[in-house]
Amino acid sequence: MRTLEQLVCPHILKMEAYSSARSEFKGKASVFLDANENTIRTTYNRYPDPLQVNLKNKIQPLLDLKQEQIFLGNGSDEAIDLLLRIFCNPGKDAILILPPTYGMYKVSASLNNVEAIEVPLESNYQPNVGAVLAAQNERTKILFICSPNNPTGNDFELDRIEQLIEGFDGIVVVDEAYIHFSTQASCAKWINKYENLVVLQTFSKAWGMAGIRLGMALANSPIIDVFNKVKPPYNVNVLTQEYALNQLQDLRVFKADIVAILEERSKLRNQLSGLGFVKVIYPSAANFLLLKVDQADLIYEYLVEQGIVIRNRSKVVLCDNCLRITVGTKAENQVLLKFLEAYNSKVVL
Ligand SMILES: *Cc1c(COP(=O)(O)O)cnc(C)c1O
């Protein structure tokens, strides 16, 4: 198996991090004349903490990891991009992705001139461990796994994920954007066991903070150190750090939201299953449902005409005629159902 030094791009290994004004200084001070800030202003005039220490202190107990095992970014999309830049030599290396999957892995790969090699999921939407491991070669540096998977909604079996982490000679990224809606345990518990594992989580979904752009990469400190070296020095702004800290003071809202969303998900599933054009509603461990229908394009267009936007995934591999619907509020789901029932009776007539 390749070591971290063999996996990280040589130019990244060599480079020196930007040394920001505040990170060069050690000790206690009350007068800061080091960063050319406007010192007359008193709010938001200072640069943010580059390593977000206060925020990580709050997050750390929720994850049972050390500070040095946490990277915070401008959404987990920033972490995805940094992973590509850290490990993949442009024009040479490749990543493995398992479609149908989250679109950003391939976009980030294209942006960085890195090939994305696709190994489709099995028809049950589980990763084909043998096929994935057979697809690796010297050029494949990162394997992206998304569990619960977007857009299919299912958990990948933990056994299969672990076989992939053990068998892949490179970095295995498990994107857990939807983990809080799942009954399956997070793979973050394996971080102390596997040097090549990176777990992504986000504040955009269950935490309800998509607007502030905050995501995280969890891994052992040698990997997190490289993240910290290459990230823009002030990648998480003051407003975001403050807001997240505030939200983390009390977890009751977070927990209650999850309960409410799961309850709505189950109601929505029941109601959708009564519609004639709905062929399959796939199991979901996330805050959305994937359904196979008759004529997905027509239903999608019809809903848009009513002012309702869902995600048409029918052009995606293994998702023929599939629509992805986010679980909305009670009221939103009722409106959706009302229109789908009207559509259903029109089709029947
Ligand atoms: C929504 C989502 C994300 C979140 O990205 P952020 O940049 O943190 O908002 C990441 N991965 C998957 C699979 C997602 O569906």
Side-chain angles (χ1 to χ4, degrees), residues 47-313:
Y47 282 104
D49 173 5
L51 292 176
Q52 311 98 16
V53 172
N54 289 338
L55 185 49
K56 283 181 190 162
N57 272 332
K58 261 274 167 302
I59 292 172
Q60 193 184 340
L62 306 176
L63 295 169
D64 202 17
L65 291 168
K66 301 198 198 84
Q67 284 247 354
E68 312 87 75
Q69 295 172 311
I70 304 171
F71 162 82
L72 295 181
N74 184 3
S76 38
D77 287 348
E78 182 183 25
I80 294 169
D81 182 62
L82 288 177
L83 283 161
L84 262 298
R85 293 205 269 166
I86 290 169
F87 293 105
C88 298
N89 289 287
K92 180 176 159 219
D93 291 335
I95 62 168
L96 287 183
I97 58 174
L98 316 183
T101 190
Y102 184 47
M104 277 310 287
Y105 315 135
K106 198 172 181 175
V107 170
S108 258
S110 307
L111 182 60
N112 288 289
N113 193 18
V114 167
E115 186 190 355
I117 298 172
E118 305 190 353
V119 184
L121 298 177
E122 293 175 356
S123 55
N124 59 2
Y125 293 150
Q126 289 294 324
N128 182 332
V129 175
V132 174
L133 295 182
Q136 62 179 327
N137 58 43
E138 268 144 63
R139 293 167 53 236
T140 50
K141 293 288 199 64
I142 310 175
L143 163 62
F144 281 95
I145 298 174
C146 187
S147 177
N149 189 41
N150 180 2
T152 58
N154 60 302
D155 290 308
F156 289 173
E157 292 164 11
L158 283 174
D159 272 359
R160 298 196 193 212
I161 298 177
E162 195 164 25
Q163 285 167 34
L164 290 169
I165 298 170
E166 287 186 347
F168 184 70
D169 185 10
I171 301 296
V172 177
V173 177
V174 183
D175 186 342
E176 295 188 335
Y178 300 97
I179 192 66
H180 305 103
F181 301 110
S182 172
T183 51
Q184 188 162 288
S186 164
C187 295
K189 64 177 181 192
W190 286 332
I191 285 173
N192 291 312
K193 188 168 164 198
Y194 296 112
E195 283 177 1
N196 63 334
L197 173 63
V198 176
V199 174
L200 301 181
Q201 291 190 4
T202 179
F203 288 85
S204 298
K205 305 288 157 63
W207 286 103
M209 297 184 239
I212 70 169
R213 310 306 301 129
L214 184 66
M216 50 192 170
L218 313 169
N220 283 299
S221 60
I223 293 182
I224 298 301
D225 290 347
V226 186
F227 268 95
N228 287 335
K229 183 163 97 164
V230 304
K231 79 183 186 73
Y234 305 112
N235 62 326
V236 181
N237 71 69
V238 175
L239 294 163
T240 295
Q241 294 191 38
E242 271 183 13
Y243 186 82
L245 255 178
N246 225 314
Q247 295 299 105
L248 287 167
Q249 298 299 338
D250 182 357
L251 301 183
R252 280 175 299 185
V253 173
F254 167 67
K255 290 178 181 162
D257 282 359
I258 293 172
V259 172
I261 291 166
L262 294 183
E263 196 181 310
E264 278 305 310
R265 184 181 76 191
S266 123
K267 266 200 256 160
L268 186 61
R269 169 186 293 281
N270 285 337
Q271 291 166 319
L272 288 168
S273 66
L275 300 169
F277 59 82
V278 174
K279 296 298 160 205
V280 187
I281 308 177
Y282 293 94
S284 172
N287 64 339
F288 58 83
L289 292 172
L290 185 77
L291 13 158
K292 193 182 274 304
V293 296
D294 281 332
Q295 300 192 293
D297 293 346
L298 290 185
I299 295 169
Y300 176 79
E301 289 304 332
Y302 164 81
L303 285 177
V304 169
E305 279 165 28
Q306 319 306 320
I308 299 172
V309 190
I310 60 169
R311 197 90 154 108
N312 185 356
R313 298 282 76 189

